[in-house]
Amino acid sequence: MKIKSLYQKLFIYFLIVIILSLSSLGVFSYITSSKELEVMVENQMNQIVGNAVHHTDLYLKDYERSIVSLMTNRKVLEFIESPISRKEYDYYSYWTQIREISADPLFIRNPKLACIYLIGDKQNAIYYYNDVDANSFNLDDIQKQRDYLLENTSADGQLSILNHSILAGQQNQMLTLVRRIRGLSSRDLNGLLAIEMRSSDLSALWKGVDLGKYGYLFILDDKGQYVYHPDASKVGAEVPVAFELKLKQAGTNSFVDSSEGDDRMYLGRKSDYSGWQLVVSMPLHELRKPVTNIRSTTLVVGFFTLVLAILLAYRFGKSITKPIQLLKSGMRETEKGNWAPIPLPPHRDEIVELMMRYNVMVNRLSEAVDRVILVELNNTEIQLERQKAEFQSLQLQINPHFMYNTLETIVCYATIQESEEISEIVEALAYMLRYSVQTNIEEITVANELKHVLHYMIILRHRIGREFEIDVAMKPEFLLFTMVRLTLQPLIENVFQHAFPEGVEDFHFIRIDGGVDDGIFWVSVQDNGSGISETELAELQQKLSANRLADGEMDKAGKKGGIGVLNVHRRIQMVYGEKYGLQIESIPEKGTKMTMLMPASPNTQLQIRK
């Protein structure tokens, strides 16, 4: 909707300035504060997760040292290689000595350990429990345990940490630290040594971490399963695929995800020691609470400022627009075509000065409009006369009716004298003159133009005293295309006048061709004559670009060129427009090609004139 009132414009523009200023300040402050806060929070989360990774690695390394202490026990190494067919007393002896030397001291130093067990490649296994119900296993159970551990441990003896337990009812509640070991005399890693610890004990490491009321930390293993989570029901479950993909793509950077119901920021860090991924999670609404407070304050202050600005804009607009109403009424009368001055009030100020200037402007405009109308009428008449003169100068340069009647008389005498040559020449010339006086038709078919060229060649054959055939390579479907009348024959005549200065030889040729490219109908006349020098071609191109008529220009022989190449170019432009016309390409001593460009407009209604 257009704003018609100056008062409305002033009021709205003033309002827009205030709103833009307040909104820009609020938006930029919000964006800047939000970015700085996100950087600060991300740095804090990086520090938190980094410390958590460090303490977790120290915690696990302490248990790895416990495994190493077991590996140094000679009885452990002997038991790995002992046969399954040993006596029960030998098994009891191994079980007792390993427990007294290694297992019980480990349970005392690490009360969080749940069990310790050894499994050899000969299905000989030994188990120790600490404050948990003991389990007994048969050979099939032992073989299944061994197969699972071999499948999920490193073949080079590196420590592996699994979310797994052999204890009944303790799945997803225990972590198993296991590694392959070799026996006393074997070079192969033919045994397994494992300890199990409660995963819930890991939470004691992060009790001092302050993540706010709704923040928490969780751990994922290398298979994408929860090793630790404040929600115990998720331990052992797989993390959503979309979340895992975001976590991998983010690397050490934070990202936002809403898979847990609300928008939360996550930041993960992978432990090089355990292969676990420790992830810190905090809700976005808690992180952005300071920015939200800034935004609310800005909105309240902006509202009161906007109300004050509206009052000021109202008073300011009224003080300016009220004196202009009289001037506005006068302008409305001017819009109706009433060029009358408006009455001036008795007082004088800037608005009255504007009204005085307006009255002067009205008087001058009234006079100027009258002069412009007269000038436009004169220019229109001059332009019409000029176009009429240009057409007539191109088509009616001689009196063709008198010449045509005279030629008819000559034909009668030639018939009486039985002179076939004279009769043929005169009939061809009569056709050409009759063709040229058809001033009521400016466009003609290609077939008619070719027929006009045929009669011209009849006359030329008698002039040069020899036969000469023009090669017409144009396809039949282009014969009914329209082109400007009297444009093809002047180009053929130009070839004989300039391309063959020494006369026509047997090797000379003239080829007429045509076609349509991108909606442009072109007709070309090509010869292999003497061509045009670069200097003359440049001059000719300059004359073509000037879009002016060639009014009787002299050629090299000192004769007027008649219609000429330039007038052919200009006639095409006068009929079809400035984008069309004549193009000339030439190479000295090799020949010239002249191409007429016209709109592609086949017309089957035009009849070929005989």
Side-chain angles (χ1 to χ4, degrees):
M1 182 179 66
K2 294 184 178 179
I3 302 176
K4 297 182 179 180
S5 173
L6 178 60
Y7 163 71
Q8 292 177 350
K9 290 182 179 180
L10 291 174
F11 180 79
I12 291 177
Y13 292 159
F14 196 83
L15 193 63
I16 289 175
V17 170
I18 296 299
I19 292 176
L20 285 178
S21 300
L22 292 177
S23 61
S24 299
L25 177 62
V27 169
F28 289 132
S29 299
Y30 178 78
I31 292 176
T32 303
S33 302
S34 178
K35 288 182 178 180
E36 291 180 356
L37 182 63
E38 286 180 1
V39 172
M40 181 180 68
V41 170
E42 188 167 347
N43 291 336
Q44 181 182 4
M45 293 174 68
N46 266 313
Q47 184 178 4
I48 290 173
V49 73
N51 290 335
V53 169
H54 176 70
H55 289 295
T56 302
D57 288 348
L58 291 178
Y59 183 80
L60 295 176
K61 286 179 180 178
D62 183 54
Y63 283 99
E64 184 183 17
R65 286 191 290 270
S66 300
I67 293 178
V68 173
S69 66
L70 286 170
M71 292 171 57
T72 59
N73 187 334
R74 182 180 180 87
K75 292 297 182 180
V76 170
L77 302 181
E78 289 178 356
F79 178 79
I80 291 298
E81 295 182 344
S82 63
I84 190 65
S85 58
R86 62 187 177 279
K87 296 179 180 181
E88 292 185 3
Y89 175 78
D90 293 334
Y91 175 84
Y92 177 77
S93 176
Y94 280 118
W95 185 87
T96 302
Q97 294 183 52
I98 293 174
R99 178 170 185 172
E100 292 176 353
I101 299 174
S102 298
D104 285 344
L106 281 180
F107 287 142
I108 294 173
R109 292 196 303 269
N110 301 287
K112 298 176 183 179
L113 287 179
C115 67
I116 302 171
Y117 54 92
L118 299 168
I119 301 177
D121 60 348
K122 300 178 181 179
Q123 291 186 323
N124 45 341
I126 193 170
Y127 300 87
Y128 301 97
Y129 302 97
N130 182 30
D131 293 334
V132 294
D133 295 335
N135 293 66
S136 59
F137 305 101
N138 55 34
L139 292 180
D140 291 338
D141 295 334
I142 295 174
Q143 184 62 39
K144 291 179 181 179
Q145 293 172 8
R146 182 175 181 275
D147 292 341
Y148 176 83
L149 294 177
L150 287 177
E151 183 179 352
N152 293 275
T153 55
S154 175
D156 57 359
Q158 296 293 325
L159 180 69
S160 298
I161 304 173
L162 308 177
N163 186 18
H164 172 75
S165 177
I166 63 171
L167 302 176
Q170 299 296 321
Q171 293 296 328
N172 300 324
Q173 298 181 22
M174 293 288 179
L175 294 178
T176 300
L177 281 69
V178 59
R179 67 187 301 173
R180 299 183 186 185
I181 61 175
R182 59 172 53 92
L184 183 64
S185 60
S186 174
R187 294 183 179 181
D188 299 327
L189 299 175
N190 54 1
L192 293 165
L193 174 59
I195 62 174
E196 291 190 12
M197 53 179 285
R198 296 174 180 86
S199 59
S200 59
D201 293 336
L202 289 173
S203 60
L205 295 174
W206 310 306
K207 287 183 178 179
V209 177
D210 184 13
L211 295 177
K213 184 178 180 180
Y214 301 101
Y216 58 85
L217 182 145
F218 60 91
I219 302 176
L220 303 175
D221 61 15
D222 56 356
K223 296 180 180 179
Q225 295 180 343
Y226 289 102
V227 175
Y228 166 78
H229 196 282
D231 184 1
S233 62
K234 291 186 176 182
V235 176
E238 293 186 355
V239 71
V241 177
F243 180 86
E244 185 178 10
L245 181 61
K246 286 185 178 180
L247 184 62
K248 290 181 179 179
Q249 292 176 346
T252 58
N253 299 321
S254 62
F255 65 95
V256 177
D257 185 75
S258 57
S259 59
E260 295 190 3
D262 57 344
D263 290 337
R264 304 182 68 89
M265 179 179 288
Y266 296 87
L267 190 143
R269 183 72 59 81
K270 188 173 184 178
S271 169
D272 295 332
Y273 174 75
S274 62
W276 289 348
Q277 189 91 353
L278 278 75
V279 184
V280 174
S281 173
M282 296 185 70
L284 281 180
H285 65 85
E286 288 291 327
L287 298 176
R288 295 176 177 173
K289 185 179 291 185
V291 178
T292 304
N293 294 335
I294 295 174
R295 181 181 58 191
S296 301
T297 304
T298 302
L299 290 176
V300 173
V301 174
F303 175 76
F304 287 106
T305 305
L306 181 61
V307 172
L308 180 60
I310 292 174
L311 295 177
L312 292 176
Y314 176 79
R315 294 294 302 273
F316 180 72
K318 283 295 184 182
S319 66
I320 293 178
T321 57
K322 191 173 182 180
I324 303 179
Q325 295 300 321
L326 183 59
L327 181 60
K328 180 180 178 182
S329 300
M331 290 183 176
R332 285 179 177 174
E333 292 296 324
T334 303
E335 290 177 357
K336 297 177 183 178
N338 184 12
W339 297 86
I342 59 176
L344 300 176
H347 63 277
R348 292 289 183 270
D349 56 16
E350 289 81 0
I351 302 298
V352 175
E353 180 69 21
L354 179 61
M355 295 166 67
M356 294 173 60
R357 300 293 181 185
Y358 171 77
N359 286 339
V360 174
M361 178 189 69
V362 167
N363 292 330
R364 292 182 177 177
L365 284 176
S366 179
E367 297 173 359
V369 167
D370 294 337
R371 290 196 299 267
V372 168
I373 292 175
L374 293 175
V375 171
E376 288 293 333
L377 290 175
N378 292 334
N379 288 341
T380 302
E381 293 177 358
I382 293 172
Q383 183 67 22
L384 291 175
E385 291 296 330
R386 180 181 176 184
Q387 291 182 358
K388 182 177 180 181
E390 288 179 349
F391 274 102
Q392 290 179 349
S393 66
L394 293 173
Q395 297 181 1
L396 304 177
Q397 295 181 7
I398 60 174
N399 189 345
H401 295 286
F402 172 76
M403 293 296 296
Y404 175 72
N405 293 332
T406 303
L407 291 173
E408 288 291 340
T409 303
I410 296 174
V411 170
C412 292
Y413 279 109
T415 303
I416 294 172
Q417 297 296 328
E418 297 182 355
S419 177
E420 295 181 0
E421 292 82 0
I422 297 176
S423 178
E424 184 179 26
I425 295 173
V426 174
E427 286 180 357
L429 183 57
Y431 173 85
M432 294 179 66
L433 287 174
R434 183 168 51 198
Y435 188 76
S436 66
V437 299
Q438 295 168 352
T439 56
N440 61 325
I441 299 178
E442 185 58 30
E443 290 183 277
I444 203 70
T445 61
V446 175
N448 277 306
E449 277 293 289
L450 290 175
K451 189 174 182 180
H452 184 60
V453 171
L454 175 63
H455 285 86
Y456 169 75
M457 292 302 298
I458 292 174
I459 298 174
L460 185 67
R461 172 166 55 83
H462 291 284
R463 287 179 54 191
I464 64 176
R466 62 176 296 170
E467 295 286 344
F468 187 88
E469 293 185 358
I470 297 178
D471 180 15
V472 179
M474 187 176 300
K475 295 181 179 180
E477 58 263 28
F478 298 126
L479 293 179
L480 291 182
F481 274 56
T482 58
M483 60 185 296
V484 180
R485 189 167 53 86
L486 293 176
T487 53
L488 187 56
Q489 181 270 333
L491 299 185
I492 301 297
E493 183 178 359
N494 184 78
V495 173
F496 283 101
Q497 289 181 353
H498 301 287
F500 310 140
E502 303 298 330
V504 179
E505 302 292 343
D506 292 338
F507 62 89
H508 286 152
F509 73 84
I510 300 175
R511 179 178 292 110
I512 300 175
D513 198 358
V516 176
D517 292 327
D518 298 329
I520 301 296
F521 176 49
W522 57 270
V523 177
S524 65
V525 177
Q526 184 177 2
D527 65 76
N528 63 342
S530 59
I532 307 174
S533 66
E534 294 183 0
T535 304
E536 293 177 344
L537 182 60
E539 293 177 356
L540 186 55
Q541 297 285 7
Q542 185 177 4
K543 291 179 181 179
L544 291 177
S545 62
N547 295 334
R548 294 178 60 89
L549 293 171
D551 188 12
E553 294 184 353
M554 306 296 289
D555 58 14
K556 292 182 179 180
K559 300 180 181 180
K560 289 188 177 181
I563 293 178
V565 173
L566 298 180
N567 285 351
V568 170
H569 170 70
R570 184 55 180 158
R571 284 192 62 198
I572 294 174
Q573 290 188 329
M574 292 173 67
V575 175
Y576 297 123
E578 300 292 334
K579 64 181 290 187
Y580 301 100
L582 188 64
Q583 292 182 352
I584 300 178
E585 305 172 16
S586 183
I587 300 176
E589 305 303 329
K590 290 188 178 181
T592 303
K593 182 178 182 181
M594 295 177 286
T595 304
M596 292 182 287
L597 303 179
M598 295 160 288
S601 56
N603 192 338
T604 58
Q605 301 301 319
L606 291 175
Q607 300 297 324
I608 300 178
R609 300 181 181 274
K610 297 184 180 180

